[in-house]
Amino acid sequence: MAKKPKKGEGEAEDGEEGEAPAEGGGKKKLIMMGGAAVLVLALGGGGWFFFLRKKPQQVAAPAPVEVAKPVAFVDLPDMTVNLSVGQDRPQYLRVKVALEVSDTKVADQIKPIMPRVVDAFQLYLREMRPSDIEGSAGIFRLRDELTRRVNTAVHPARVNAVLFREIVVQ
């Protein structure tokens, strides 16, 4: 006859087999939940760090204050030219112009070649029509074109702007 297993041994074996999966599954769930909690906390902390935290005040040396270099002005002689109007009565344009340059060295470079600058202005202004210089837009276009022409005439040097002191169309 076969021996019957003892109840204590059978129950212990069944209990161990039954408990082992229950304990292993419980540990896995616990580890997964703990890992998910750590991941959520890490993502939340990273989001706060990049988006919501106040930026620390940078205590850097104050930005150097740029000292504006004094510019120099070169006055051109007054120019009076007749405008291109066709067969009607003649119309004249009288302008007083100053050239803005970066410093006095550039002004000294421009003064010897002033006849070239005046010639470039005269040639351009004689081709102007009264309608070309009407309104502020016409004056801005005239200023830009004269600046381009004077920079071509004084090439190694550079003129920052052509400034009108007076403009009269008669």
Side-chain angles (χ1 to χ4, degrees):
M1 299 216 226
K3 283 186 170 178
K4 292 184 179 179
K6 297 181 182 176
K7 283 189 176 181
E9 286 181 30
E11 287 177 2
E13 287 179 14
D14 289 339
E16 285 176 1
E17 288 180 19
E19 287 177 3
E23 285 180 23
K27 285 183 182 178
K28 285 183 184 179
K29 285 183 185 178
L30 185 61
I31 290 173
M32 288 178 61
M33 288 174 54
V38 168
L39 181 64
V40 167
L41 288 174
L43 289 176
W48 173 82
F49 182 77
F50 285 111
F51 297 114
L52 300 177
R53 127 183 119 96
K54 292 183 181 179
K55 306 285 190 238
Q57 294 289 338
Q58 292 183 356
V59 183
V65 177
E66 258 186 56
V67 178
K69 291 182 179 180
V71 295
F73 298 98
V74 178
D75 289 329
L76 270 66
D78 298 350
M79 289 180 265
T80 303
V81 297
N82 57 338
L83 297 173
S84 176
V85 292
Q87 300 297 329
D88 296 341
R89 65 183 182 117
Q91 284 190 313
Y92 297 98
L93 172 69
R94 185 177 72 211
V95 292
K96 293 182 182 179
V97 178
L99 304 176
E100 179 182 327
V101 294
S102 57
D103 59 7
T104 56
K105 291 178 184 177
V106 176
D108 292 338
Q109 290 175 348
I110 290 175
K111 286 179 183 175
I113 56 176
M114 192 62 68
R116 187 183 304 164
V117 173
V118 171
D119 179 57
F121 279 25
Q122 290 277 343
L123 289 174
Y124 180 70
L125 293 174
R126 288 182 59 84
E127 294 300 319
M128 298 289 297
R129 294 182 301 264
S131 61
D132 292 337
I133 53 175
E134 286 180 356
S136 62
I139 300 299
F140 281 117
R141 282 191 301 270
L142 177 62
R143 176 183 292 164
D144 289 342
E145 184 62 28
L146 290 177
T147 303
R148 187 184 68 76
R149 287 178 182 266
V150 75
N151 279 326
T152 302
V154 298
H155 175 54
R158 174 128 171 78
V159 172
N160 296 336
V162 171
L163 306 172
F164 294 113
R165 294 186 345 211
E166 183 180 344
I167 300 174
V168 177
V169 177
Q170 189 178 24

